Amino acid sequence: MIIAEEKDFLRKIVKDYKARGCTIGFVPTMGYLHEGHLQLVKKSKEIADITIVSIFVNPIQFGPGEDFAKYPRDIERDKGLLKKENVDVLFFPDDKEMYPELPKVRLIVNDLADTLCGKYRPGHFEGVLTVVAKLFNIVQPDFAFFGKKDAQQLIIIERMVRDLDFPIKIIAVDTVREEDGLAKSSRNTYLSDAERKIAPYLYKGLKKFVDELANTNDVIKLKVEVMKYLEDKGFKVQYLDLVDRNTLKEVQQLKDGKYMIAVAAFLGNTRLIDNIWFDVKNGRVKVL
Ligand code: AMP
């Protein structure tokens, strides 16, 4: 595996691959890798000739008081995992390499960032889009892989690629879970043993919500019920919203269309997110 810490070196490598007619798959991450990240890598290996993974904890997507400084990092372990997957190139820039100066130009998102996580993390998606656009310009991939676990991020990036004509195909990858249903996340390491036992109820709550949709169309009542279920388990719910997957706006009446139930909740100081996607066709709910 080639390790590139500098943009210019990475650009040179990419140019050589492209001259040989290779397609490039790109998996951007913040490191502290787990099976979820590796699933994106496996998809890239299936689809593209060359797989490039980046590890960069992007300071400009963290708000004041968020966990930038204590975000888990273990580059040696990550390198071992990526080598095992036969990743071709790891791009591992430091903050100075990515931001010699703080950017004075950033990408903005309008109403897609006004709901769900965007409502509670002002500036977060501008930070994400700015770094993803920079990474896309540096790596120039044919395919880029993102997890459905961070659904709002995925949907906004799909929109960025469409609105700004990036010649890149975005591939969405299903959420990888622990055996008890908890979505894998680098942040799960923050959980105490007691919190870790409660954490799977987040996904159970979402499943309860979708299952009940077969019996009732009363979304508001269901939302109140599931919110209470989660609070009783020990979560502090930040949001629990049923949204349209195109607009990310909350819906209260289901008709045929594409939807998602998404949740963010705290266990102690740890903020967990999760979601379930479903379509409604001829009045029937189909979980994806
Ligand atoms: P992160 O390192 O948390 O920024 O995540 C990097 C990429 O991995 C993003 O596209 C995430 O959506 C994806 N990802 C994180 N956790 C999972 C998971 N449990 N299943 C699938 N993809 C994931």
Side-chain angles (χ1 to χ4, degrees):
M1 182 171 76
I2 302 173
I3 297 173
E5 296 188 0
E6 287 163 9
K7 294 185 258 194
D8 286 350
F9 180 44
L10 187 80
R11 282 206 165 100
K12 192 181 155 311
I13 299 167
V14 169
K15 207 171 156 198
D16 289 349
Y17 285 132
K18 294 211 166 184
R20 284 193 260 144
C22 298
T23 56
I24 311 270
F26 177 45
V27 180
T29 81
M30 297 204 298
Y32 213 72
L33 304 175
H34 51 68
E35 250 327 297
H37 299 110
L38 299 182
Q39 195 55 36
L40 308 193
V41 169
K42 288 183 177 109
K43 286 274 172 231
S44 173
K45 299 281 304 177
E46 266 171 48
I47 294 174
D49 299 324
I50 296 294
T51 293
I52 301 181
V53 175
S54 66
I55 294 182
F56 180 63
V57 185
N58 175 36
I60 69 165
Q61 72 185 63
F62 289 79
E66 289 189 347
D67 57 346
F68 173 68
K70 72 162 188 169
Y71 195 84
R73 294 159 168 93
D74 187 345
I75 188 64
E76 290 312 318
R77 182 177 153 275
D78 288 350
K79 282 179 185 168
L81 290 169
L82 295 176
K83 274 186 196 154
K84 245 200 218 150
E85 298 295 331
N86 294 316
V87 164
D88 299 282
V89 184
L90 165 64
F91 180 45
F92 178 52
D94 65 13
D95 290 5
K96 273 254 141 42
E97 183 66 12
M98 283 303 276
Y99 300 113
E101 286 177 51
L102 270 188
K104 289 189 194 291
V105 176
R106 298 186 188 199
L107 291 179
I108 54 159
V109 196
N110 55 15
D111 53 344
L112 286 176
D114 292 345
T115 60
L116 306 174
C117 291
K119 187 167 162 189
Y120 299 94
R121 302 186 70 188
H124 170 69
F125 287 110
E126 281 83 356
V128 170
L129 286 194
T130 302
V131 82
V132 170
K134 279 166 75 71
L135 289 166
F136 281 179
N137 283 330
I138 297 164
V139 178
Q140 302 198 13
D142 300 281
F143 308 97
F145 299 80
F146 291 87
K148 287 188 189 170
K149 151 127 195 305
D150 300 279
Q152 188 171 22
Q153 166 176 287
L154 163 68
I155 289 163
I156 290 177
I157 288 170
E158 280 174 337
R159 194 64 211 215
M160 173 183 88
V161 162
R162 209 164 97 203
D163 287 352
L164 302 184
D165 289 307
F166 280 87
I168 298 172
K169 187 163 168 38
I170 301 297
I171 315 274
V173 180
D174 286 341
T175 300
V176 177
R177 300 179 178 281
E178 303 286 355
E179 269 182 19
D180 57 15
L182 175 64
K184 297 218 180 205
S185 164
S186 309
R187 289 188 168 99
N188 291 350
T189 51
Y190 298 153
L191 297 170
S192 69
D193 289 349
E195 289 165 348
R196 176 64 188 79
K197 288 203 179 89
I198 302 171
Y201 287 103
L202 195 63
Y203 182 51
K204 290 200 174 84
L206 290 178
K207 285 220 290 212
K208 207 169 138 66
F209 202 134
V210 208
D211 288 349
E212 288 292 320
L213 285 173
N215 307 323
T216 173
N217 208 355
D218 193 340
V219 172
I220 297 174
K221 183 165 154 266
L222 269 182
K223 181 170 157 160
V224 172
E225 271 175 33
V226 175
M227 202 90 115
K228 179 162 182 335
Y229 169 88
L230 292 173
E231 301 269 349
D232 286 349
K233 297 289 178 201
F235 291 96
K236 211 168 159 297
V237 178
Q238 190 173 57
Y239 66 77
L240 171 69
D241 291 337
L242 196 165
V243 299
D244 177 300
R245 285 212 309 282
N246 289 318
T247 62
L248 298 181
K249 290 216 167 42
E250 224 183 327
V251 287
Q252 295 179 348
Q253 279 287 314
L254 291 181
K255 9 180 222 196
D256 282 10
K258 295 169 186 294
Y259 301 97
M260 157 171 89
I261 298 171
V263 66
F266 284 91
L267 270 181
N269 290 325
T270 307
R271 184 174 177 275
L272 300 175
I273 58 170
D274 204 346
N275 60 76
I276 292 185
W277 294 25
F278 66 96
D279 291 348
V280 178
K281 207 169 167 201
N282 302 323
R284 294 180 75 102
V285 175
K286 184 168 179 280
V287 177
L288 301 179

